Amino acid sequence: MLFRILHDERSGELSYVLADNDAREAVVVDPRSRDLPVLQALLGERDLRLRWVLRTHQHDHLLTHEFERLRSLGAPVVQGETREGTHTVADGERLPVGHETLRVITTPGHTAGCLSFAWRDRVFCGGLLAVDACPHQPHPADPAALWDSINLRLFTLPDETLLFAGHEPRARAVSTVLEQRRWHPFFARQTRDAFLARVAALPTHAAAAATIAPGHNTPSA
């Protein structure tokens, strides 16, 4: 299997490429349209057919042309927000990629329709663990749902499960369930009520968005 990580140093956003080299099929997780030339070159170099475009979450109200640009990759787009041109999935559904599969896990909270994708011992969980670090949404859309997604879906996985983030300014893409359960600044040793109170005290979305560096909340080029 091919596994590649693409990191945007400016925004901290992370994308992932998985491919079954024998079957010559690939999937991209959380691609950014500005990386299309890199993704197309990577797929072409290895003669890979893109099977799925997987989005753990999206902020298309800010990145107004992002969805259509990603559709130009020619593969079905899977995301929690249903719209024309998306492939609708259910919790637990398995998406084939060559001889492998990725399992869909519904994990709302960061946005209302967040999805995570499990492959072998890895889970691509997007912005779930970011809480206040997403460059496009510094406040969870549904804090109560986020608490449930983290504690009832993510933290019930085996301790050694690898968690791959969608946002990380220092390019530290991977952690483990054990690490996050014990030391995450918002979830470790916190009650549900304490978590909700802490999130409620964060700056509002509008106020926080104003502090984002210029260019982070504008449509991709």
Side-chain angles (χ1 to χ4, degrees), residues 51-55 58 60 66-89:
R51 187 68 179 83
W52 305 100
V53 173
L54 305 181
R55 306 181 80 190
Q58 57 282 333
D60 291 342
E66 189 78 354
F67 179 76
E68 292 303 327
R69 289 171 177 166
L70 293 177
R71 285 190 67 191
S72 72
L73 286 167
V77 177
V78 175
Q79 61 183 46
E81 178 186 334
T82 302
R83 57 185 291 182
E84 185 178 356
T86 61
H87 177 84
T88 303
V89 293

Side-chain angles (χ1 to χ4, degrees), residues 143-157:
L146 178 61
W147 173 267
D148 290 341
S149 291
I150 292 293
N151 285 278
L152 303 182
R153 307 305 305 269
L154 232 56
F155 284 179
T156 57
L157 296 171

Side-chain angles (χ1 to χ4, degrees), residues 18-54:
L18 294 170
D20 184 329
N21 289 317
D22 294 332
R24 297 191 181 281
E25 284 195 346
V27 59
V28 293
V29 181
D30 287 336
R32 302 175 297 271
S33 66
R34 57 183 174 272
D35 290 334
L36 288 185
V38 174
L39 291 171
Q40 290 165 334
L42 178 61
L43 296 170
E45 176 187 0
R46 296 178 178 267
D47 191 26
L48 298 170
R49 180 174 78 94
L50 187 60
R51 187 68 179 83
W52 305 100
V53 173
L54 305 181

Side-chain angles (χ1 to χ4, degrees), residues 30 44 52 104 106 138 175 211:
D30 287 336
W52 305 100
V104 178
T106 53
S175 60
T211 67

